[in-house]
Each structure stands twice: as C-alpha cells, then as structure tokens.
C-alpha cells in the first residue's frame, strides 16, 4: 500500500489553489503559508485526510491580518473598557479609512503650504463647545492631565480632595500619574467631605493649580460634601476640572454627570475629558479652556509626545460633525423598542428550537461614567452554556451570565446587528 503521506499536496500547490492564492493577496503570503504548513502537519499526523488540506487552510483563514476580532457587545455595559470602549459610528469609520492613506492632515491643498495639524477636528471640537476659549487634543484623558501637571505645576503643588484620588483601572491612579511629572500632590479634606475652606487653607505661593476630578467609576454616598467648581474658581488659582466622561453638554438621562460646557461656565480654567466614553468617539484626551493656558499646554515640549495621529483626528471630527454615534444611540434607545426587539429575537430563535425568552434587564453606562445609574433594558435569555460558545464564535458575542442564564442585553446591540446576533446564537444551538 502506498504511504498516504505521499498524497499530501506540496506547499506551492496549496498556495496556488485559486481561493488560497486570493487570500494570500489580502492576508499576506507568509501568514497563509504558516497555515498551509500547519495543515500539512496535521495531515502527516493523521489528524486530517491529505485531501482535506486545502479545506483545512480555508477554514482557518482569519478575516483580517490583525488579531483583534470584532465583538458584539451584548453585555448591557454601554462603554465597556475591555471591549474597546466606544464603538465608532459608521461615519467615523469611513473617515478613518479615508485618512488612512496619505492625507492633508498637516497640509493646505489650496496653497500647497504646511497647515495646522488636525485643524478640522479642532474646529469641530471648538464649535461643539462655544464657551471654550481654545481646545486641544492629546492621546487620552490621562495624557491631558499629564500635560496640565507638566505645564501648570512644574515643581509646584496640585491641590486635590482626598475624596477624588481616583484609580482609573488596571492599577493606574491619577495621583501617581500627576506625581510622575515631579509635581507635588497636596491632599485636602477627607474621603467623604471636603469644603472650599480646605482648599483655601492649602493654597499658597507653591500652588500650581486646583484639580477637581469627577468620581466617574464610584460613588461616595451618605454624609458627604464637596466644594463646587464655582467656589473653587474664586480662590485665585487656576482650576483644572477632569470631567472624565466626555459629555460636552448636560445629558437629560444623566443629570449627575458633569459636562464640559457647565464646568467652563462655573469657572474651570481648563477642562479635560476622554474621547471614547460618552462622547462615543476614538480614544483621545480633550482639553478645553482659557486660550492662554491652552496655548501653553499646546506648546509644552511634552505635547509632541502626547499628540494624536491622523486616524484619531479623522474619527473625532466625524464623531462630532456626523450622525449620532452608537454610544449616544444606546443611551437614547427607548426601552419599549428594546423589549420589542427582544420579543422578536426570542420568538425567531424559539422557532428554530433554541430555548430563548425575552426578559427585562438593567444596563449601565460602565467605566465611562454615571456610576449607580440604571438604564432600563431588555434582553434575550438563553441557557448558560451558550455564553462560552457565543464568545468563541465568529463574530464573537459577549453577554452576561445571571442566575444560570446567558443574557444578551439589547441596549448595547445596534438594531442593525440583530440579525447577526440571531445567526450567531443559531450556530451555537
Ligand atoms: C476615564 C477617566 C480618566 C482616564 O481617561 P483615559 O481617556 O482612559 O486616559 C481620567 N479621569 C476620569 C475622571 C475618568 O473618568
């Protein structure tokens, strides 16, 4: 009998197969060749038939070269840090693709001269917050705070309440970030109560600025007191307000969430925020405020190390000028619409034999802000065993397991993705 291994197709032959050759054009020959060699190895080990090598390679071809995979967020956590925070709007995605090649990010096509980098995005940001004397964009909110400390408090003190010494996540803490610049933190007040007088007593010739940090991922309740921005703005030193979430103006559903326009109106000299939380845009740090101070921030040598790339600028401008991004849609969704979608999805799944039921649910804003705010929602409940299969599927779906059931919360799923979600569940049946 002939050695079956002799029937294993040669590497060049497999790479020459039309579907595989086409994949090599988009994914790169090296990546596809690695899959071919692995498939040949499986055939040699007797795990697959020699004739199945091509199919094995085709089945394992990734959708893209990068390892990041698209995930349907059915967790009910609107801004999910581990899932990349805000998903970009289709308009922002288009803008990113357009800017991905060579682009006029720092060039004026009319005059043929160098132009201000990211002027379109900066103009959109300024237009969105007319009260800001000037605006600037850096890599993220942490970078915005770093730049404030480097520029406004070199070898000086930053006065901050003990109730606002925030850990952002993954072990990173705002006080450590600020101290890393060489600035000294001057803590005032107590965990639960800090008054304007506490700040006033700490302010002196060494003060760089007063920092007010929004507790965006926790709440202190009970016997509490904090000084308002307006009181602090009267103390004679600049007040930097970190509002965190990136709400540019008040949001009707999130009355306790601070916003940029209000913070400026109350007298903050500089306001910082994230771009990829409630604003629903790309990762970015947004700076608004007094024109002279913002210009100093912009010209600090470290600003060059914190600047954003053309993709971020493109996505930010499109988020600000284009249609409402998914985060805003998710916040605004009417719970009755969510219930109807859950009923329809569950009914459709039951008709194919899946044990699915529409249930009411509670969604949250997540790491992006508004701790303690419950958003009424609706979900499709499945047996718990679906959770793992859905996570490992294509596209991956992440729900949450509650009392032995896998809940797919529809507040964080775009209506346009309902059919994709249904098919993903069916494939796990
Ligand atoms: C999220 C957050 C940060 C960190 O922002 P990044 O954009 O992740 O760097 C800082 N301060 C507050 C109040 C936040 O909510």
């Amino acid at each position: 009998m002939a050695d079956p291994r002799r029937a294993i197709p040669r590497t060049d032959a497999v790479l020459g197969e039309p579907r595989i050759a086409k994949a090599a054009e988009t994914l790169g020959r090296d990546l596809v060749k690695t899959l071919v060699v692995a498939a040949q190895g499986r055939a040699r080990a007797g795990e697959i038939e020699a004739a199945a090598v091509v199919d094995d390679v085709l089945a394992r071809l990734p959708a893209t070269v990068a390892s990041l995979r698209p995930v349907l967020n059915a967790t009910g956590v609107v801004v999910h840090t581990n899932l990349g925070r805000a998903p970009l709007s289709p308009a922002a995605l288009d803008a990113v693709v357009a800017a991905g090649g060579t682009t006029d990010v720092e060039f004026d096509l009319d005059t043929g001269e160098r132009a201000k980098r990211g002027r379109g995005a900066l103009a959109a940001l300024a237009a969105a917050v007319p009260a800001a004397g000037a605006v600037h964009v850096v890599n993220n909110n942490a970078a915005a705070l770093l730049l404030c400390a480097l520029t406004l408090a070199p070898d000086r003190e930053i006065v901050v309440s003990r109730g606002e010494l925030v850990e952002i996540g993954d072990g990173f803490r705002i006080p450590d970030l600020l101290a890393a610049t060489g600035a000294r933190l001057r803590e005032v007040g107590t965990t639960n109560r800090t008054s304007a007088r506490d700040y006033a007593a700490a302010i002196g010739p060494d003060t760089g600025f007063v920092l007010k940090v929004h507790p965006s991922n926790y709440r202190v309740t009970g016997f509490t007191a904090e000084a308002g921005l307006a009181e602090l703005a009267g103390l004679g030193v600049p007040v930097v307000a970190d509002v965190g979430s990136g709400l540019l103006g008040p949001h009707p559903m999130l009355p306790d969430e601070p916003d940029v326009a209000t913070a400026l109106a109350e007298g903050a000299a500089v306001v910082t925020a994230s771009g990829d939380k409630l604003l629903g845009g790309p990762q970015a740090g947004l700076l608004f405020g007094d024109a002279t101070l913002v210009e100093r921030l912009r010209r600090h040598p470290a600003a060059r190390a914190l600047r954003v790339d053309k993709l971020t600028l493109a996505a930010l401008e499109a988020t600000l000028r284009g249609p409402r991004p998914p985060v805003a849609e998710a916040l605004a969704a009417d719970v009755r619409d969510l219930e109807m979608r859950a009923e329809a999805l569950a009914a459709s799944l039951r008709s194919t034999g899946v044990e699915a039921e529409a249930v009411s649910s509670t969604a949250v804003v997540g790491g992006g802000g508004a701790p303690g705010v419950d958003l009424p929602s609706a979900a499709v409940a499945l047996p718990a065993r679906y959770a793992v299969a859905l996570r490992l599927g294509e596209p991956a779906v992440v729900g949450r397991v509650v009392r032995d059931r896998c809940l797919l919360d529809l507040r964080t799923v775009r209506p346009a993705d309902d059919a994709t979600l249904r098919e993903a569940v069916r494939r796990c049946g």
Side-chain angles (χ1 to χ4, degrees):
M1 223 173 99
D3 182 349
R5 281 174 301 185
R6 296 198 42 198
I8 295 171
R10 286 181 29 236
T11 308
D12 285 347
V14 181
L15 285 170
E17 200 277 340
R19 288 167 298 173
I20 290 179
K22 192 151 183 295
E25 274 172 33
T26 48
L27 297 173
R29 191 181 151 90
D30 288 351
L31 189 154
V32 175
K33 190 174 168 186
T34 308
L35 294 176
V36 172
V37 172
Q40 290 167 321
R42 274 187 286 281
R44 224 170 283 123
E47 293 166 25
I48 60 172
E49 298 286 329
V53 166
V54 167
D55 285 342
D56 185 81
V57 173
L58 289 172
R60 288 170 197 269
L61 286 173
T64 61
V65 178
S67 62
L68 289 178
R69 292 168 56 196
V71 174
L72 273 185
N73 174 11
T75 60
V77 180
V78 176
V79 178
H80 198 302
T81 297
N82 300 148
L83 297 180
R85 289 201 182 152
L88 293 181
S89 68
L93 287 173
D94 287 347
V96 167
V97 170
T102 41
T103 184
D104 59 342
V105 63
E106 243 179 69
F107 186 74
D108 186 329
L109 290 167
D110 288 333
T111 63
E113 315 253 307
R114 177 169 205 274
K116 181 169 175 174
R117 183 180 173 84
R119 58 210 175 282
L122 292 170
L125 200 57
V129 184
V135 299
H136 184 52
V137 181
V138 291
N139 182 52
N140 57 13
N141 193 10
L145 290 168
L146 195 76
L147 193 55
C148 288
L150 286 167
T151 310
L152 308 177
D155 290 323
R156 303 179 74 192
E157 289 183 352
I158 299 171
V159 181
V160 61
S161 162
R162 292 198 168 86
E164 298 174 6
L165 301 171
V166 178
E167 174 163 324
I168 312 169
D170 193 23
F172 288 102
R173 297 171 170 176
I174 289 178
D176 298 343
L177 173 87
L178 298 170
T181 68
R184 294 185 303 281
L185 243 49
R186 180 78 180 264
E187 299 172 15
V188 298
T190 61
T191 306
N192 55 328
R193 292 176 72 86
T194 305
S195 68
R197 256 182 303 142
D198 293 322
Y199 289 92
I203 288 172
D206 277 354
T207 307
F209 61 90
V210 165
L211 175 66
K212 192 92 179 82
V213 184
H214 174 57
S216 54
N217 52 11
Y218 66 103
R219 273 206 307 187
V220 181
T221 58
F223 183 54
T224 64
E226 63 172 312
L229 271 177
E231 287 177 278
L232 300 181
L235 295 177
V237 293
V239 178
V240 174
D242 170 10
V243 300
S245 72
L247 278 187
L248 301 183
H251 193 290
M253 284 177 71
L254 309 171
D256 295 330
E257 195 62 20
D259 65 270
V260 177
T262 305
L264 288 172
E266 289 177 347
V270 176
V271 181
T272 77
S274 297
D276 55 354
K277 293 180 176 175
L278 293 178
L279 184 65
Q283 179 188 305
L286 314 177
L287 287 145
F288 308 82
D290 176 81
T292 312
L293 288 184
V294 172
E295 184 59 15
R296 278 178 61 200
L297 298 171
R298 220 174 63 74
R299 298 314 313 171
H300 190 281
R304 182 65 169 77
L306 308 175
R307 82 174 193 185
V308 292
D309 77 335
K310 59 189 177 179
L311 305 182
T312 301
L313 291 165
L316 181 62
E317 183 175 359
T319 301
L320 290 162
R321 293 211 196 269
R324 208 154 59 163
V327 164
E329 293 281 355
L331 283 178
D334 188 327
V335 69
R336 284 178 297 267
D337 291 335
L338 301 176
E339 283 161 5
M340 270 155 50
R341 287 168 55 203
E343 296 285 356
L345 255 174
S348 162
L349 286 167
R350 277 196 304 273
S351 74
T352 61
V354 178
E355 228 181 288
E357 188 194 354
V359 296
S360 63
S361 165
T362 304
V364 294
V365 171
V373 172
D374 287 342
L375 304 168
S377 190
V380 174
L382 304 168
R385 64 182 161 81
Y386 274 86
V388 174
L390 282 168
R391 220 171 56 224
L392 298 177
E394 189 81 50
V397 176
V398 180
R400 63 180 200 275
V401 174
V402 180
R403 275 184 248 107
D404 259 352
R405 294 213 284 185
C406 170
L407 297 191
L408 303 179
D409 194 310
L410 295 186
R411 189 173 281 278
T412 50
V413 177
R414 294 186 315 160
D417 287 332
D418 281 1
T420 309
L421 183 62
R422 187 184 59 224
E423 290 317 304
V425 175
R426 266 188 199 155
R427 281 195 295 272
C428 299

